Amino acid sequence: MEKLNQVMLYVDDQAKAVDFWTETMGFVIVSEEAMAEDFKAVEVAPNKSVETSLSIIEKEFMKKYSPEVNLGTPSLMFKEQDFDALYEKLKEKGLTGHDIIEMSGVRVFNFQDGQGNYFAVSD
């Protein structure tokens, strides 16, 4: 294998998820791919030059077309240069899971996307 290209993120409300990742987290939409029955996959990333992106897909689509797929949220950790500002922004929105903690010399906090899916970020 060459690299990790995309992480599939299955959500209950795709529009809400895309809004979270673009409006709250500052990601950009890389592409939108039409799928069966007016479903679509929306690819988002911190910027268009990164190698790994998130492909946001409705759980309803996956249940119908790929019922064998695990719909659980992947455990992802992001790295952020403006760590403290991001923490404060997400804390103000009530999206942080806990205070900043230190693990092996790295500061970390959890955040959620408004749909109960938790992720982590480090400095």
Side-chain angles (χ1 to χ4, degrees), residues 18-27 86 89-90 93 95:
V18 170
D19 184 58
F20 171 79
W21 288 104
T22 58
E23 299 300 319
T24 302
M25 299 303 291
F27 281 39
L86 179 61
K89 176 182 176 180
L90 294 174
K93 294 179 179 284
L95 298 174

Side-chain angles (χ1 to χ4, degrees), residues 6 28-33 41-45 48 53-55:
Q6 288 182 337
V28 296
I29 295 175
V30 175
S31 68
E32 292 188 27
E33 181 183 334
V42 180
E43 181 183 1
V44 299
K48 291 193 180 208
S53 61
L54 299 176
S55 184

